[in-house]
């Protein structure tokens, strides 16, 4: 039976999204929000209890002791479903990394029109990790060697993939002992599919071991390589002013929205949009120019490097079209809803697919090729400009928020210690003293099964209030940006006293935007350096840190969660668990659920859990952080100890009469005397 239709306020906490959902109703078109209302999830599939791996099924296991036609148990079926999802996520991220490596190769050989090596320092650093000679060599020569090395990681059959050497030593040893170091990226993904074919690996724990190896091939493989190469080609992000939400669309300009994940084309569209010929072409069409914006992680890529605004996160892709102001939505790969094409037929918007791997029936296809990128980008922009004259009624929500993205690992390192003493030690010390209780990476998607942006922002605000420093990527980062939490001091009134002190002293927002979903590897690098800089143990699993994905929906999120667990992180997903089983009806359906939690924790120090209730998620996260603090022998978190220095202290002093101010400053009275006394 279809569920009751929710109101716009029940669908999203974002006023811009609410306005567009009302417009969708007025026009009479559906969105992911209304389709989610009309399509309740299948409770058997959602709990991971359905198998359709062969033609004897699909088999649905709902009773104690029941098996599939082949005899597969509920545990085997759940483990197979989970590892398949992780393999798909790892494949998506890693194939993105492969394309980046081929682009780097083309740039190194002068075969990629419009691209250059923008960050030579990063190229030299990354090459140095692998013993590639950098001294006395041209950047192109180094880049060629690095591209060859990275391309070879995909088809490698034996040994260990190269980026694993960048993990803490103790972690590498643990992986070696457990036998989970990926041999080659493609090999692990293929083996996951092989093992889950009917009649292969039917031991759930053995399957989930390989799930870890497959996920590591993503996090310490394909994804890490994608981030490295994006930085080398387009520049390592540093703080830059940007804007987020649908209000970044412009009434009097040609609006082109780029959506998906790969920066190769979107960076070229940015460059092309600034050429005189394109600006003149747009003006000749009666527009003031071309206004670029992004959705999802393509948005994050160009936001953190170029300051190009983000029109929104995953659940706003249809809402951007509903404004009637988008001439073209240019998509590459991943997280692109097929519904865009049908929805766009109600407006003038062109959906332009560009990847040879991702077409949608009914869309305009202009295929991207890195060898002729600038020419193709200009062609796409001219197509969008030609469509400007077809625009009908427009309604752009007047809602946008400023933000400062671009906190790469390199920038945080520099920011904490300066050019000559770059180090994470000040961050470690803030954690050791208790000013910062711990660190939470709050990442991942939106999901229309929950209230758009609510879980992200609720969890983020609570973590900040509890003095937990937050780093974000993906659609979660855009959710916080829209709420103003990524804007320097603007968000500080919602932050606990110790964290506030640190943010004020360093001059950072309380939430650090670290990039796209592929860039979760930046967080692995940060955690590794925190270990190396001392004071927080000698491996990642000892750091008081958690990984949270409150509104997850994609298979990539599961791959990220699994590689974070393998790296030693406690990961909690919000929403539903794909391996929940039905404990009320099947007493024996929780082996997988237990194994990925306590089982993985025994093996790797990290664990994966699911918490539908956000307050339970917050409670578990804070508990874990406090336990890790205690295990390190750090003082217990005490919010009353801090918050009386920095700007807050100056504010208090300014509110004192002169005599009282002098007394407080020179210690004549207790500094704890309330202000004004
Ligand atoms: Fe059913 Fe086994 Fe086939 Fe799965 S593999 S569909 S459990 S018979
Ligand atoms: S885009 S994978 S919805 S974060 Fe990276 Fe957002 Fe999740 Fe896609």
């Amino acid at each position: 039976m279809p569920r009751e239709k929710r109101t716009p306020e029940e669908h999203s906490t974002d006023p811009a999204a609410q306005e567009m959902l009302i417009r969708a109703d007025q026009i009479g078109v559906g969105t992911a929000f209304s389709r989610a209302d009309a399509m309740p999830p299948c409770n058997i599939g959602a709990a991971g209890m359905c198998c359709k791996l062969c033609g004897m099924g699909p088999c649905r296991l709902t009773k104690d002791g029941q098996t599939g036609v082949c005899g597969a148990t509920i545990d085997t079926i759940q483990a197979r479903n989970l590892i398949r999802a992780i393999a798909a996520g790892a494949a998506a991220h890693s194939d993105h990394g492969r394309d980046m490596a081929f682009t780097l190769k083309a740039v190194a050989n002068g075969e990629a029109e419009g691209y250059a090596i923008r960050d030579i320092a990063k190229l030299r650093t990354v090459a140095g990790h692998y013993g590639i000679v950098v001294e006395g060599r041209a950047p192109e020569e180094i880049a060629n060697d690095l591209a060859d090395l990275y391309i070879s990681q995909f088809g490698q059959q034996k040994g260990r993939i190269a980026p694993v050497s960048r993990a803490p030593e103790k972690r590498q040893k643990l992986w070696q002992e457990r036998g989970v170091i990926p041999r080659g990226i493609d090999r692990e993904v293929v083996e996951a599919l092989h093992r889950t074919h009917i009649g292969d690996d039917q031991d759930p724990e053995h399957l989930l071991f390989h799930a870890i190896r497959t996920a590591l091939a993503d996090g310490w493989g394909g994804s890490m390589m994608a981030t490295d190469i994006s930085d080398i080609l387009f520049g390592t992000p540093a703080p830059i002013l940007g804007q987020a939400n649908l209000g970044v669309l412009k009434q009097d300009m040609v609006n082109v929205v780029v959506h998906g994940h790969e920066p190769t084309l979107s960076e070229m569209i940015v460059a092309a949009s600034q050429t005189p010929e394109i600006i003149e072409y747009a003006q000749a069409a009666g527009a003031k120019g071309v206004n670029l914006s992004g959705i999802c992680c393509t948005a994050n890529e160009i936001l953190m490097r170029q300051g190009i605004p983000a029109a929104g996160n995953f659940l706003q892709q249809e809402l951007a079209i509903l404004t009637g102001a988008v001439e073209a939505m240019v998509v590459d790969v991943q997280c692109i809803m097929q519904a865009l094409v049908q929805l766009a037929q109600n407006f003038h918007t062109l959906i332009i697919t560009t990847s040879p791997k991702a077409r949608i029936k009914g869309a305009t296809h202009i295929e991207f090729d890195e060898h002729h990128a600038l020419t193709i980008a200009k062609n796409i922009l001219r197509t969008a400009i030609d469509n400007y004259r077809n625009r009908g009624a427009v309604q752009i929500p007047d809602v946008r928020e400023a933000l400062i993205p671009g906190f790469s690992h390199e920038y945080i390192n520099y920011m904490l210690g300066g050019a000559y003493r770059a180090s994470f030690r000040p961050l470690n010390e803030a954690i050791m003293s208790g000013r910062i209780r711990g660190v939470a990476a709050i990442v991942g998607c939106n999901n229309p099964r929950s209230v758009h942006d609510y879980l992200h922002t609720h969890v983020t605000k609570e973590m900040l209030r509890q003095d937990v420093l937050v780093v974000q990527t993906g659609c979660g980062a855009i959710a916080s940006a829209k709420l103003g939490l990524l804007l320097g001091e603007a968000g500080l009134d919602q932050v606990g006293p110790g964290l506030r002190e640190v943010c004020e002293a360093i001059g950072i927002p309380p939430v650090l935007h670290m990039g796209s979903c592929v860039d979760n590897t930046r967080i692995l690098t940060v955690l590794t350096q925190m270990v190396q800089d001392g004071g927080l143990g000698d491996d990642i699993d000892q750091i008081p840190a958690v990984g949270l994905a409150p509104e997850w929906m994609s298979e990539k999120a599961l791959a990220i969660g699994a590689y974070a667990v393998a790296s030693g992180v406690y990961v909690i997903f919000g929403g539903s668990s794909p391996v929940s089983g039905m404990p009320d009806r099947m007493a024996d359906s929780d082996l997988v659920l237990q194994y990925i939690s306590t089982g993985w924790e025994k093996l790797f120090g990290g664990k994966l859990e699911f918490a539908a209730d956000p307050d339970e998620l917050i409670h578990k996260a804070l508990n874990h952080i406090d336990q890790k603090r205690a295990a390190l022998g750090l003082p217990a978190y005490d919010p009353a100890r801090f918050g009386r220095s920095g700007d807050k202290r100056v504010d208090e002093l300014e509110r004192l009469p002169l005599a009282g101010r002098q007394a407080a400053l020179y210690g004549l009275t207790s500094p704890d005397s309330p202000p004004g006394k």
Side-chain angles (χ1 to χ4, degrees):
M1 194 177 68
R3 284 192 307 181
E4 208 176 297
K5 188 175 180 309
R6 291 173 293 170
T7 64
E9 290 76 19
E10 289 166 333
H11 276 140
S12 175
T13 52
D14 174 356
Q18 291 167 3
E19 184 181 331
M20 285 301 99
L21 289 172
I22 293 169
R23 182 163 155 89
D25 267 355
Q26 288 164 346
I27 297 172
V29 294
T31 62
F33 296 89
S34 58
R35 291 190 295 273
D37 286 346
M39 170 85 66
C42 159
N43 58 355
I44 299 170
M49 301 163 74
C50 169
C51 179
K52 50 187 177 62
L53 289 185
C54 87
M56 296 189 285
C59 300
R60 299 168 312 287
L61 273 53
T62 56
K63 295 188 195 89
D64 263 339
Q66 206 177 13
T67 66
V69 174
C70 68
T73 62
I74 183 66
D75 307 325
T76 299
I77 288 174
Q78 286 187 327
R80 284 197 304 219
N81 288 339
L82 182 60
I83 187 178
R84 281 208 160 203
I86 289 171
H93 276 154
S94 298
D95 210 28
H96 169 170
R98 183 199 324 265
D99 286 344
M100 297 302 303
F102 278 117
T103 304
L104 182 66
K105 176 87 180 162
V107 175
N109 289 284
E111 294 164 356
E113 178 203 15
Y115 296 104
I117 297 170
R118 292 237 188 104
D119 193 337
I120 294 170
K122 177 128 190 184
L123 170 68
R124 293 167 70 91
T125 304
V126 174
H129 289 313
Y130 309 119
I132 295 173
V133 177
V134 296
E135 290 315 319
R137 300 181 80 201
E140 289 72 20
E141 288 177 282
I142 303 169
N144 190 52
D145 284 359
L146 181 63
D148 283 343
L149 174 76
Y150 274 2
I151 290 166
S152 74
Q153 301 306 298
F154 293 92
Q156 184 173 288
Q157 302 303 323
K158 288 184 178 168
R160 39 160 56 199
I161 55 170
V164 161
S165 64
R166 289 154 68 176
E169 264 176 41
K170 193 170 171 193
R171 182 93 341 216
Q172 290 182 52
K173 253 191 222 140
L174 179 79
W175 290 337
Q176 182 74 38
E177 279 163 25
R178 303 274 185 253
V180 291
I181 295 189
R183 297 155 294 187
I185 297 166
D186 292 355
R187 177 163 186 186
E188 307 312 348
V189 173
V190 167
E191 190 171 311
L193 295 180
H194 177 192
R195 287 190 191 207
T196 51
H197 183 273
I198 179 177
D200 270 298
D201 195 356
Q202 286 152 97
D203 175 340
E205 295 180 7
H206 191 242
L207 274 167
L208 292 169
F209 232 90
H210 187 67
I212 289 287
R213 179 154 56 176
T214 308
L216 284 173
D218 174 359
W220 294 89
S223 279
M224 190 167 277
M225 292 171 1
T227 299
D228 285 345
I229 299 172
S230 298
D231 286 354
I232 290 166
L233 290 180
F234 308 121
T236 301
I240 187 168
L241 190 61
Q243 285 191 322
N245 218 338
L246 294 169
V248 305
L249 298 172
K250 298 232 165 74
Q251 189 94 32
D252 51 4
M253 296 180 85
V254 174
N255 288 300
V256 176
V257 178
V258 289
H259 169 25
H261 281 78
E262 294 184 346
T264 32
L265 172 60
S266 52
E267 283 281 347
M268 249 347 103
I269 291 182
V270 174
S273 71
Q274 291 158 1
T275 58
E277 65 179 285
I278 291 295
I279 295 169
E280 282 161 23
Y281 196 74
Q283 287 167 346
K288 279 200 175 147
V290 174
N291 178 46
L292 276 187
S293 60
I295 294 272
C296 275
C297 284
T298 298
N300 284 318
E301 296 279 357
I302 52 174
L303 171 67
M304 65 181 171
R305 292 197 179 88
Q306 316 288 349
I308 301 293
N313 46 15
F314 174 69
L315 280 178
Q316 286 176 285
Q317 54 188 287
E318 292 174 288
L319 309 184
I321 292 173
L322 273 156
T323 63
V326 177
E327 274 58 54
M329 184 171 279
V330 184
V331 303
D332 49 66
V333 291
Q334 302 163 23
C335 303
I336 299 144
M337 291 190 197
Q338 185 170 355
L340 291 178
V341 171
Q342 207 191 342
L343 178 67
Q345 283 163 5
N346 297 281
F347 303 89
H348 73 307
T349 307
L350 288 172
I351 306 296
I352 302 179
T353 52
T354 58
S355 168
K357 296 170 199 161
R359 288 204 187 196
I360 306 175
K361 224 172 175 46
T364 303
H365 188 72
I366 303 179
E367 192 149 309
F368 176 67
D369 173 355
E370 70 268 23
H371 300 95
H372 313 286
L374 195 58
T375 304
I376 293 166
K378 286 180 183 169
N379 181 17
I380 287 172
L381 289 177
R382 279 196 207 93
T383 307
I385 293 166
D386 290 343
N387 194 27
Y388 183 63
R389 63 172 178 268
N390 299 322
R391 198 189 264 191
V394 165
Q395 182 182 336
I396 302 173
D398 188 17
V399 182
R400 70 195 76 75
E401 186 53 85
L403 75 146
I404 301 177
F407 289 89
S408 54
H409 154 257
E410 288 83 350
Y411 186 80
I412 300 174
N413 203 20
Y414 163 76
M415 164 188 96
L416 289 171
Y420 297 103
R421 309 178 274 119
S423 162
F424 271 68
R425 186 71 195 190
L427 173 63
N428 288 8
E429 277 166 7
I431 294 172
M432 288 152 69
S433 69
R435 275 189 176 79
I436 294 179
R437 185 172 182 174
V439 180
I442 305 179
V443 307
C445 323
N446 300 135
N447 190 324
R449 299 286 175 209
S450 60
V451 184
H452 170 229
D453 286 352
Y454 169 72
L455 294 176
H456 276 303
T457 52
H458 175 69
V459 172
T460 301
K461 283 192 287 187
E462 190 53 24
M463 286 293 146
L464 297 179
R465 220 169 57 75
Q466 299 285 340
D467 288 303
V468 175
L469 178 70
V470 174
V471 298
Q472 290 206 277
T473 60
C475 291
I478 299 176
S480 290
K482 290 187 288 174
L483 206 69
L485 295 172
L486 270 62
L487 189 62
E489 310 234 323
L492 290 185
D493 55 340
Q494 302 174 47
V495 169
L499 176 60
R500 179 178 173 146
E501 236 181 71
V502 174
C503 291
E504 284 171 345
I506 304 174
I508 52 167
V511 180
L512 302 181
H513 183 311
M514 294 195 75
S516 63
C517 43
V518 106
D519 290 333
N520 281 307
T521 61
R522 294 189 198 279
I523 301 172
L524 297 179
T525 309
V526 164
L527 292 169
T528 300
Q529 195 174 342
M530 286 172 77
V531 168
Q532 286 162 350
D533 285 353
L536 295 176
D538 58 0
D539 197 358
I540 292 173
D541 62 342
Q542 295 172 49
I543 299 175
V546 288
L548 310 173
E551 298 181 29
W552 80 279
M553 64 88 199
S554 78
E555 291 168 315
K556 289 184 297 169
L558 291 168
I560 294 165
Y563 75 61
V565 167
S567 305
V569 180
Y570 178 24
V571 176
I572 315 172
F573 279 40
S576 65
S577 159
V579 291
S580 63
M582 289 183 181
D584 50 331
R585 282 160 62 180
M586 297 176 71
D588 64 351
S589 67
D590 69 347
L591 182 140
V592 170
L593 201 63
Q594 295 301 331
Y595 187 75
I596 61 176
S597 170
T598 48
W600 273 352
E601 189 177 30
K602 271 190 211 120
L603 293 165
F604 304 107
K607 54 183 172 175
L608 177 59
E609 291 180 353
F610 296 81
D613 173 1
D615 293 321
E616 184 195 343
L617 181 150
I618 291 165
H619 177 73
K620 280 169 171 256
L622 292 174
N623 240 355
H624 178 79
I625 284 173
D626 289 345
Q627 279 171 13
K628 292 292 170 185
R629 291 189 66 83
L632 286 167
L634 300 178
Y637 167 68
D638 174 7
R641 284 186 62 211
F642 297 105
R644 299 189 54 77
S645 64
D647 290 356
K648 192 165 182 229
R649 183 76 178 121
V650 171
D651 281 354
E652 286 175 357
L653 287 171
E654 279 177 359
R655 281 158 47 211
L656 290 172
L658 184 62
R661 206 179 305 165
Q662 285 170 337
L665 273 173
Y666 299 111
L668 299 177
T669 59
S670 156
D672 292 327
S673 305
K677 292 263 167 75

